[in-house]
Amino acid sequence: MTHQFDVLVVGAGPAGIAAAIRAAEEGCRVAIVDENPHPGGQIWRGPSGKTKPDKAAGDALEWTGRLSRASVQTFFGWHIFDAPTAKTLRGARDADAADFHFKSLVIATGARERFLPFPGWTLPNVMGVGGLQAMVKSGLPIRGKRIVVAGTGPLLLAVAAYLRQHGAAIPIICEQASWRKLARFSAALLAQPGKLLQGLQLKREVGETRFSANSWPVAANGRTTVESVTISRSGKPETIPCDYLACGFHLVPNIELPLLLGCQIQNGYVRVDDFQRTSVAEVFCAGEPTGIGGVELSLVEGEIVGLSAAGRIAEASKLFGRREKLRRFARSLDRTFRLRSELRSLPQPETIVCRCEDVYYSRLRDQSGWRAAKLQTRCGMGPCQGRICGLATEFLFDWKPDSVRPPIFPVRVKSLSGLTGDSNLELCEITGGRS
Ligand SMILES: Cc1cc2nc3c(=O)[nH]c(=O)nc-3n(C[C@H](O)[C@H](O)[C@H](O)COP(=O)(O)OP(=O)(O)OC[C@H]3O[C@@H](n4cnc5c(N)ncnc54)[C@H](O)[C@@H]3O)c2cc1C
């Protein structure tokens, strides 16, 4: 199967949706691809759970409604895993595969949570903050469950509020950032009244829940599932009984696809110019891969991209002012929620770092780098392909992955078998047990 478009958008979160709508409104032939079965990305992926519809729910309805009315061809449930030529992406859905040809490409692949290893972090019911929220949105019942929320970043407060609305009891929210950093962050919010209001609203929603800065989990305890978590609170250990530990250390951009295409990366993010153009011709990028800044920034960057890709440069530049204000917020998020060095000493020799391949910290600490660790221990060689442990080892040992190769996500051999033409993939024919 092959498809041809003026503008191909990868990622149907707020950034991708805004880009697709704006480009389609300007008359471009647009397609949007997302691995999820529905548009909305991380934030709009399910009902908000609030009894009264709030701004987020209103925005979700407005933008996904606009997308369904726009002349945009949608490919939901499709995962982009390769870029066989400069103007082609390759995607898979179950056993099907297709090539998407484009004149302009918009990368809006969002971000994911960072996990750090500590004793017990692989126990059942220790989950990512956003991961647990996603499971509750998909129907996991948590009424009456005690959930400790820990890690860093504004997602802790947002998810704690969400879990409370679904009947969970939150004994404590542990934030690794210091009170001093949080105070500076709050002061910076005075220049962003919308964000300040959102923060106050979340604070109201978490109610009397204990919030502790300078705090992080040092161990999740339990035999078959988590039963309690030991946290370090301003240097003192405290053990808190719980049914779940929701734990995430802020967000990191999904930049595998831009790396595969050869886009330049700066300070961990895709480098873009004023019009969100990457260093590769006709490849644009919007939303979290260019900086972690929240839904409003993703939306405005998406609009700028859609207009730029459609050649509406003057229209696009009218949005620069709004974007700059929101980028200031993104920079203050980066400063406030930067990981403190003490977290590097959380793993013990027997702590698993690569959970796909069961690789212990003791096997990794003497390796010279990411490549050596992969060769010697299989760290990063399992189904997640280093998407989880690679971020942890980058923080723990300062290792950088030295290449990104397709498939950037696991894909079935059957999906590949019907494809023809150029490919970056090296397929091995397996015969009689020999490859
Ligand atoms: C787990 C998680 C939970 C979050 N929860 C909240 C919250 O409760 N409240 C809040 O304010 N903010 C939340 N955020 C932050 C929020 O996601 C961002 O502020 C904003 O929505 C980002 O929009 P985006 O369009 O840049 O990216 P996203 O919304 O992340 O959208 C990116 C999309 O790209 C798709 N994608 C990525 N790679 C591929 C590929 N190769 N092929 C096909 N599709 C692909 C993904 O499936 C996803 O739908 C959360 C973030 C995460 C990671």
Side-chain angles (χ1 to χ4, degrees), residues 11 13-15 34-36 41-43 80 110 133 155 288 294-295 298 409:
D34 199 296
E35 63 184 295
N36 283 316
Q42 298 292 354
I43 186 167
I80 297 297
Q133 183 190 39
L155 205 51
E288 312 266 62
V295 61
S298 288
F409 291 100

Side-chain angles (χ1 to χ4, degrees), residues 22 34 70 74 166-167 200 208 245 273 308 323 335 389 394 407 417 425 429:
R22 284 303 215 147
D34 199 296
T74 57
H166 282 73
L200 291 173
E208 297 304 302
L245 167 60
D273 70 6
S308 306
R323 180 184 58 191
R335 275 193 303 275
C389 59
E394 187 173 351
S417 56
L425 290 163
E429 193 184 339

Side-chain angles (χ1 to χ4, degrees), residues 82-98:
D82 191 11
T85 75
K87 294 281 181 189
T88 311
L89 293 187
R90 188 159 282 173
R93 185 182 59 183
D94 302 326
D96 296 333

Side-chain angles (χ1 to χ4, degrees), residues 122-162:
T122 52
L123 272 174
N125 287 0
V126 179
M127 295 185 180
V129 178
L132 180 59
Q133 183 190 39
M135 287 183 72
V136 176
K137 284 184 178 180
S138 308
L140 177 76
I142 44 143
R143 183 159 296 281
K145 301 289 183 199
R146 298 158 305 170
I147 305 179
V148 171
V149 177
T152 199
L155 205 51
L156 300 187
L157 219 51
V159 174
Y162 179 86

